[in-house]
Amino acid sequence: MAAGFPSPGPELDAEFVIWPADREIFRIHKEKYASNQFNDSKIGDARFSPIASAGGKPIPILYGGETIACALMETVFHDVPHTPGFKSYDKHNLEGALASVLSPARDLQLVSLSAKALRKLGITRARLLDSDAADYPYTRSWARALHAQFPDADGLRWVSRQDDEAHALVLFGDRVKKNVLRIVYPSTNILNDFKTYRQLLELAQLIGVDIL
């Protein structure tokens, strides 16, 4: 662990929250993935993925949000700087990006990463959820530990760093089978679907970004 970054202990004390069956999950993903397909590769550098089991087997991961705005902020607009004035986003970056809406067929049991729950886990939101990419190797160690120590955990849930009016979640594909995530609407290409693209433009205007 990096100096000063808390490591997960061997006996973590977690709080759980329920994501009810039929509650929608919004997802932004690349076109190579089906709407409810998990990423089971070792490729990537995200806060809670990629991660692997103690034996080195990749744990499939799927990220989502409780609103389309949350999903867009956590993906498309994730790296927009917090600066005043003109900010641009290259429209070509949206090529091959899809939006999907899923609905679980059963209740999902998620480890809560709320401020109160993090106190019991022994790490602050600032370190686990608000830290920058340089700390991702350490935040992933917490995801691995929570997955390993709580075999009933279907994933993790937290208030989005990018959209603090909504919850984000990550699901473990070895616990949530693909057929549990029902497809509410077929995947839509963000650039080609009028409704989704309009939502993106409205969000861009709100955060001061011009799509060029």
Side-chain angles (χ1 to χ4, degrees):
M1 286 293 167
F5 201 101
S7 60
E11 296 183 3
L12 294 172
D13 191 1
E15 288 293 317
F16 283 84
V17 290
I18 298 297
W19 191 282
D22 300 327
R23 183 180 181 184
E24 292 181 342
I25 298 170
F26 294 82
R27 182 189 185 202
I28 306 297
H29 57 99
K30 297 179 180 179
E31 60 185 354
K32 68 179 181 179
Y33 295 105
S35 299
N36 58 354
Q37 183 179 355
F38 286 70
N39 182 347
D40 61 357
S41 73
K42 294 183 179 181
I43 300 172
D45 183 24
R47 188 172 301 277
F48 296 129
S49 67
I51 58 174
S53 67
K57 184 177 180 180
I59 297 167
I61 291 293
L62 185 148
Y63 281 90
E66 65 176 328
T67 65
I68 185 64
C70 178
L72 288 168
M73 287 300 298
E74 286 284 350
T75 53
V76 173
F77 296 128
H78 183 277
D79 296 323
V80 171
H82 291 75
T83 55
F86 176 80
K87 296 183 285 291
S88 65
Y89 183 88
D90 188 345
K91 187 175 181 179
H92 291 96
N93 291 333
L94 296 172
E95 293 177 357
L98 305 182
S100 296
V101 185
L102 307 173
S103 174
R106 62 169 175 83
D107 289 350
L108 301 178
Q109 184 165 247
L110 308 179
V111 175
S112 173
L113 301 181
S114 69
K116 294 190 291 291
L118 289 174
R119 285 180 181 271
K120 192 157 70 167
L121 284 172
I123 187 170
T124 65
R125 178 184 171 91
R127 301 311 299 268
L128 188 62
L129 299 173
D130 294 336
S131 51
D132 294 326
D135 285 332
Y136 285 178
Y138 314 115
T139 57
R140 287 196 289 268
S141 73
W142 280 83
R144 285 193 297 272
L146 290 167
H147 175 275
Q149 294 186 33
F150 300 97
D152 292 333
D154 292 315
L156 316 174
R157 193 202 73 173
W158 64 98
V159 173
S160 167
R161 178 190 182 194
Q162 308 298 331
D163 179 2
D164 61 2
E165 296 177 326
H167 285 103
L169 69 157
V170 63
L171 300 179
F172 302 138
D174 57 343
R175 311 268 172 81
V176 182
K177 301 307 180 185
K178 183 177 177 180
N179 60 5
V180 169
L181 297 179
R182 299 174 298 198
I183 299 171
V184 178
Y185 305 109
S187 295
T188 57
N189 184 291
I190 292 177
L191 285 174
N192 298 333
D193 181 71
F194 174 78
K195 179 181 178 182
T196 305
Y197 191 59
R198 183 183 63 189
Q199 291 171 319
L200 180 141
L201 291 178
E202 291 173 349
L203 185 57
Q205 182 179 27
L206 181 63
I207 64 175
V209 171
D210 286 329
I211 307 294
L212 302 177

